[in-house]
Amino acid sequence: MGLLTFSHIAISCTDAIATEKFYTKYFGFTRARVVPLGDQQIVFIKLGQMYLELFQASAESPVPPPTNDGPQYPAWRHLAFQVDNVDAKLAEMKDEAKIALGPLNFDDFIPGWRTVWVADPNGNIVEISQGYVDQENPPQLEDADINSRIPEAANAP
């Protein structure tokens, strides 16, 4: 396999300017490129090697905005960022932190793991977390793990 790296996440924005300000102000993104498209533009913002591609939405959402930690139906559930201190980040964001869920402690899983979910200017859910660490030796994925969760797989020839 040749080169494979994560490229970007595209967001259709109710207010692309407010979205860019939110991610630059609170998560350190910077403007990387602007692509003009007639009377519209696509704005790429980046944090390290992670890009968000911002489009101005041209239609209303057919579903209500997500709540809690994101949609419960098949979709991208949320974006997540690690910080040193969730409470300090919330204090920095003040009224712009539209809390959807939490803050919650997950010490039963990882000591010091704490998370809050907030809505960005478009209503997309953003997780802000502290203290997450990888599991030392996670179990390997096996075909049986996947097949047990997909009803059609049980009936496949």
Side-chain angles (χ1 to χ4, degrees), residues 15-63:
D15 184 337
I17 293 169
T19 302
E20 182 177 5
K21 286 180 180 178
F22 178 83
Y23 286 100
T24 57
K25 182 176 181 180
Y26 297 117
F27 299 103
F29 281 80
T30 58
R31 191 176 269 209
R33 179 174 294 277
V34 176
V35 178
L37 292 174
D39 62 348
Q40 298 281 326
Q41 63 182 10
I42 302 169
V43 176
F44 286 85
I45 58 176
K46 78 186 261 184
L47 176 64
Q49 296 302 309
M50 177 183 174
Y51 290 85
L52 299 179
E53 182 182 21
L54 309 179
F55 290 85
Q56 182 64 46
S58 60
E60 294 293 319
S61 175
V63 297

Side-chain angles (χ1 to χ4, degrees), residues 69-88:
D69 64 343
Q72 304 301 303
Y73 49 83
W76 291 108
R77 196 166 179 129
H78 56 252
L79 295 176
F81 296 97
Q82 289 287 315
V83 298
D84 291 329
N85 185 300
V86 166
D87 296 319

Side-chain angles (χ1 to χ4, degrees), residues 4 11 14 60 68 73 83 111 116 127 142:
L4 178 64
I11 303 173
T14 54
E60 294 293 319
N68 297 321
Y73 49 83
V83 298
V116 66
E127 177 182 341
E142 297 181 20

